[in-house]
Amino acid sequence: MIDWQFSRFSDLSNKDLYEVLAQRQAVFILEQACLYPDIDGYDLDAHHLLGWRSVDGRRELAAYLRVLAPGAKYDEMSLGRVITTPAARGTGAGRALLEQGIACAERLYPGHRIRIGAQQYLEAFYQSFGFRTVSAPYDEDGIMHVDMLR
């Protein structure tokens, strides 16, 4: 079971923020071998969805994404920095994360479309949530991506 926390940046505890940044670094920079500025200035005004689970009595981050307001990065609102931690993969945490993330985003910004810059190998996953591809594949940090809208 995942316990969901949806918070503005300023409401995240130091410990929770540290865990988010550590997992983003572990997945995007180390695991995917992408050298890019993960701390990009968008976090401060974003809403952050953290999925926590209990493992051996210890609270552990299982999944995370951030929601950006319309106009912050794209004309549409957007979901980004979507991760399922390695320990939580294969448990359904990624699917639950997207369901929760879409619901939270739509409550915050009703009537707005959602744009994502998806890693191309996850295109079918995002299509299962109603996203459609709106760009040709492009290389971003050595990984092929596509822009998608919902």
Side-chain angles (χ1 to χ4, degrees):
M1 183 173 129
I2 296 180
D3 179 33
W4 296 105
Q5 171 188 347
F6 192 55
S7 303
R8 294 199 55 81
F9 182 84
S10 59
D11 295 329
L12 292 171
S13 72
N14 290 338
K15 186 175 180 179
D16 291 351
L17 176 59
Y18 186 89
E19 182 63 19
V20 164
L21 295 176
Q23 290 301 327
R24 283 177 22 181
Q25 174 181 277
V27 171
F28 295 127
I29 296 169
L30 299 175
E31 180 182 318
Q32 295 180 355
C34 293
L35 296 178
Y36 73 100
D38 178 54
I39 299 173
D40 58 5
Y42 290 113
D43 288 315
L44 296 171
D45 294 320
H47 284 78
H48 302 266
L49 179 62
L50 294 74
W52 300 98
R53 65 184 189 154
S54 180
V55 177
D56 298 326
R58 198 172 50 85
R59 184 174 177 247
E60 178 180 281
L61 188 66
Y64 166 85
L65 62 72
R66 70 180 180 190
V67 178
L68 300 179
K73 185 172 183 178
Y74 305 110
D75 290 339
E76 306 84 3
M77 68 173 144
S78 65
L79 303 180
R81 298 297 196 263
V82 179
I83 62 170
T84 303
T85 60
R89 291 181 189 152
T91 66
R95 185 157 290 282
L97 174 68
L98 256 289
E99 290 169 356
Q100 289 288 323
I102 290 167
C104 289
E106 289 178 342
R107 277 195 309 274
L108 276 176
Y109 308 110
H112 287 272
R113 297 187 307 169
I114 302 172
R115 179 178 289 270
I116 57 173
Q119 292 182 3
Q120 190 178 20
Y121 83 95
L122 292 169
E123 192 171 4
F125 173 74
Y126 289 112
Q127 286 171 341
S128 74
F129 289 93
F131 286 92
R132 63 180 176 79
T133 304
V134 295
S135 76
Y138 59 91
D139 184 303
E140 183 175 312
D141 302 313
I143 297 173
M144 295 308 291
H145 283 70
V146 290
D147 287 341
M148 302 182 82
L149 281 176
R150 181 177 193 279

